[in-house]
């Protein structure tokens, strides 16, 4: 009776499917069909055999597997488990399984981390949106630094006005460039007519020289105006913009700080059981984190506003003096003073022979 049960168990544990891989079968009919298919068309296992009890009887038999390719597996019916005969195949299978499990665990860990990140972002967004709506409708309190807010508003107004100066200076540069190009063409035309009209050679010649001189001085003035435009553009679109980006971060931090502050106040007004106290403690920690972030950014904004004001005064003092001296010298016809102004402010013109003035390349 015992031999019959062991043979039956051995028969039930032979896990060979139609692909030659190991598996687990629980039906006698499926086992017999799989064994027949392996013997007929399965891959080749060199110099191996599978030991099993005879199907439906008590006699043991050996299933020839000289035409099957793959690692041999011995099945111990007593312990109802598989024992690998060839160590190499088992190690490869174990290594593959371990790698698969490691990759799966890594993927699962990344997914859990991303899920936690999305969860925190969603909770933070909800709190901030709730706080923003409360402030808009006058139901929520808002933290305000009156002195800092006034400085921020002054900066935004200054930036708008400087942007208008920049727009007008660029328009002046474009118009003046067109005038210089016209003077250059007119001078060439006068010079050509001077050669072809002997009776008016002197008159055309004088006008040709005048237009060429005006053209040369105009290009010098264009260099000064272009330097002015470039400096204002850097001040407005880089220096001021960098400070405004820090201000935007500060305003976002202020909103988050007020959102978590309001959340903590609501929890503090509720019940004081164990669960509520745990929530209050967690909210207190989050509130402290947001408070530190808010105060740090508020300090950064104050420092940047201070340095921006100093830099703005220094830059504009230099650029306004350059613009005034260059314009005055040009329209006074003082070529020497115009050139001296450019040297004073280290403004370099494009070398002669270039097709276009240097200011065009910087637009």
């Amino acid at each position: 009776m015992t031999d019959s049960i062991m043979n039956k168990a051995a028969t039930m544990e032979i896990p060979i499917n139609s692909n030659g891989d190991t598996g687990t079968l629980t039906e006698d009919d499926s086992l017999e069909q799989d064994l027949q298919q392996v013997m007929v068309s399965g891959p080749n296992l060199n110099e191996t055999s599978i030991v099993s009890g005879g199907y439906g009887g008590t006699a043991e038999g050996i299933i020839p597997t000289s035409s099957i390719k793959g690692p041999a597996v011995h099945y111990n019916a007593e312990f109802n488990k598989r024992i690998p005969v060839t160590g190499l195949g088992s190690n490869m299978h174990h290594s593959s399984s371990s790698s698969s499990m490691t990759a799966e665990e890594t993927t699962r860990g990344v997914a859990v981390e991303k899920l936690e990140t999305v969860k925190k972002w969603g909770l933070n967004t909800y709190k901030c949106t709730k706080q923003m709506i409360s402030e808009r409708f006058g139901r929520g309190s808002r933290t305000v630094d009156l002195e800092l807010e006034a400085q921020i508003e002054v900066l935004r107004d200054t930036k708008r006005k400087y942007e208008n100066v920049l727009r007008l200076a660029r328009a002046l540069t474009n118009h003046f460039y067109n005038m210089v190009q016209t003077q250059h063409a007119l001078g060439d035309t006068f010079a050509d007519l001077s050669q072809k009209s002997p009776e008016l050679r002197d008159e055309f010649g004088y006008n040709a020289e005048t237009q060429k001189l005006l053209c040369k001085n105009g290009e010098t003035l264009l260099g000064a105006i272009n330097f002015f435009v470039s400096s204002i553009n850097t001040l407005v679109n880089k220096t001021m913009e960098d400070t405004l980006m820090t201000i935007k971060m500060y305003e976002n931090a202020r909103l988050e700080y007020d959102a978590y502050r309001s959340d903590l106040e609501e929890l503090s007004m509720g019940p004081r059981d164990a669960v509520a106290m745990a929530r209050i403690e967690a909210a207190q920690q989050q509130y402290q984190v947001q408070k530190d972030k808010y105060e740090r950014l508020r300090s950064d904004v104050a420092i940047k506003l201070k340095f921006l004001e100093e830099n703005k005064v220094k830059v504009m003092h230099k650029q306004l003096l350059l613009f005034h001296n260059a314009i005055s010298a040009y329209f006074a016809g003082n070529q020497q003073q115009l050139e001296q102004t450019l040297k004073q402010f280290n403004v370099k013109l494009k070398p002669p022979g270039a097709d276009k003035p240097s200011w065009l390349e910087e637009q």
Side-chain angles (χ1 to χ4, degrees):
M1 182 66 179
T2 302
D3 293 341
S4 176
I5 293 174
M6 292 180 64
N7 289 333
K8 181 65 174 179
T11 304
M12 295 294 290
E13 283 296 317
I14 298 178
I16 301 180
N17 55 29
S18 58
N19 293 326
D21 297 330
T22 59
T24 302
L25 296 177
T26 59
E27 297 291 335
D28 290 347
D29 294 339
S30 299
L31 177 61
E32 186 175 7
Q33 292 175 3
D34 287 344
L35 287 174
Q36 291 174 357
Q37 187 170 359
V38 169
M39 294 176 66
V40 174
S41 59
N44 191 7
L45 265 173
N46 294 326
E47 299 179 358
T48 60
S49 64
I50 298 177
V51 181
S52 92
Y55 177 74
T58 60
E60 293 185 352
I62 298 177
I63 301 173
T65 56
S66 59
S67 61
I68 302 176
K69 185 177 181 180
V73 180
H74 177 72
Y75 292 85
N76 191 322
E78 180 179 359
F79 296 98
N80 195 21
K81 62 182 181 179
R82 294 170 292 180
I83 301 176
V85 176
T86 305
L88 179 59
S90 175
N91 291 338
M92 292 177 63
H93 177 72
H94 178 70
S95 176
S96 176
S97 300
S98 300
S99 300
S100 177
M101 291 179 63
T102 302
E104 183 178 356
E105 291 174 356
T106 302
T107 304
R108 186 182 297 109
V110 172
V112 171
E113 183 179 354
K114 288 184 177 180
L115 182 62
E116 287 297 323
T117 301
V118 172
K119 182 179 177 181
K120 291 180 180 179
W121 173 84
L123 181 61
N124 184 73
T125 302
Y126 167 74
K127 291 180 182 294
C128 292
T129 303
K130 180 182 176 182
Q131 176 67 23
M132 185 183 300
I133 294 174
S134 298
E135 291 178 3
R136 292 281 178 88
F137 287 93
R139 294 194 296 265
S141 60
R142 178 176 182 270
T143 302
V144 179
D145 187 327
L146 295 178
E147 182 180 357
L148 191 62
E149 292 290 335
Q151 294 178 2
I152 291 173
E153 187 59 33
V154 169
L155 171 60
R156 286 173 173 156
D157 183 63
T158 302
K159 185 173 184 290
R160 286 192 294 267
K161 293 177 179 178
Y162 276 45
E163 285 174 341
N164 189 44
V165 171
L166 181 61
R167 179 181 60 82
L168 293 174
R170 282 173 170 168
L172 174 64
T173 304
N174 290 331
H175 295 321
F176 198 76
Y177 170 75
N178 291 330
M179 186 186 75
V180 170
Q181 291 298 101
T182 302
Q183 289 174 336
H184 187 276
L186 188 59
D188 290 342
T189 302
F190 283 156
D192 182 63
L193 289 173
S194 175
Q195 297 294 328
K196 297 180 179 179
S197 303
E199 66 281 4
L200 296 173
R201 178 178 301 173
D202 294 338
E203 289 79 0
F204 278 126
Y206 296 152
N207 281 278
E209 292 297 327
T210 301
Q211 293 302 319
K212 289 181 179 179
L213 180 61
L214 290 174
C215 183
K216 179 181 178 181
N217 292 341
E219 290 177 350
T220 304
L221 179 60
L222 279 174
I225 298 177
N226 178 61
F227 187 76
F228 175 82
V229 169
S230 177
S231 299
I232 301 300
N233 179 67
T234 300
L235 178 64
V236 171
N237 293 320
K238 292 185 179 179
T239 310
M240 290 185 178
E241 190 63 30
D242 177 71
T243 304
L244 288 174
M245 287 296 296
T246 305
I247 290 173
K248 185 176 181 181
M249 294 170 60
Y250 156 75
E251 292 175 342
N252 291 337
R254 195 279 310 164
L255 182 64
E256 291 178 351
Y257 164 69
D258 282 338
Y260 282 91
R261 176 183 55 79
S262 299
D263 187 49
L264 179 61
E265 291 174 355
E266 291 179 4
L267 290 174
S268 299
M269 295 172 62
R272 293 303 181 105
D273 55 11
V275 176
M277 291 303 296
R279 295 180 62 186
I280 291 174
E281 183 179 355
Q284 179 69 38
Q285 293 176 356
Q286 290 293 330
Y287 164 78
Q288 189 62 43
V289 170
Q290 297 300 329
K291 182 181 179 181
D292 294 341
K293 179 181 178 181
Y294 164 72
E295 292 179 348
R296 183 180 70 254
L297 285 171
R298 181 176 61 179
S299 177
D300 291 346
V301 169
I303 293 173
K304 283 200 172 187
L305 285 173
K306 179 182 178 181
F307 283 113
L308 175 62
E309 183 65 22
E310 294 175 356
N311 186 48
K312 182 194 72 174
V313 172
K314 182 179 179 181
V315 169
M316 293 307 299
H317 174 76
K318 176 181 178 180
Q319 295 304 317
L320 290 173
L321 187 60
L322 165 67
F323 190 82
H324 173 267
N325 291 348
I327 292 289
S328 300
Y330 173 81
F331 285 100
N334 193 335
Q335 180 181 0
Q336 183 178 0
Q337 183 180 352
L338 180 60
E339 293 177 351
Q340 184 63 33
T341 299
L342 268 66
K343 290 180 181 179
Q344 178 183 354
F345 293 96
N346 297 320
V347 179
K348 296 182 180 180
L349 299 177
K350 195 169 184 178
D355 295 333
K356 296 180 181 180
S358 60
W359 67 271
L360 272 181
E361 297 178 350
E362 298 179 9
Q363 296 301 315

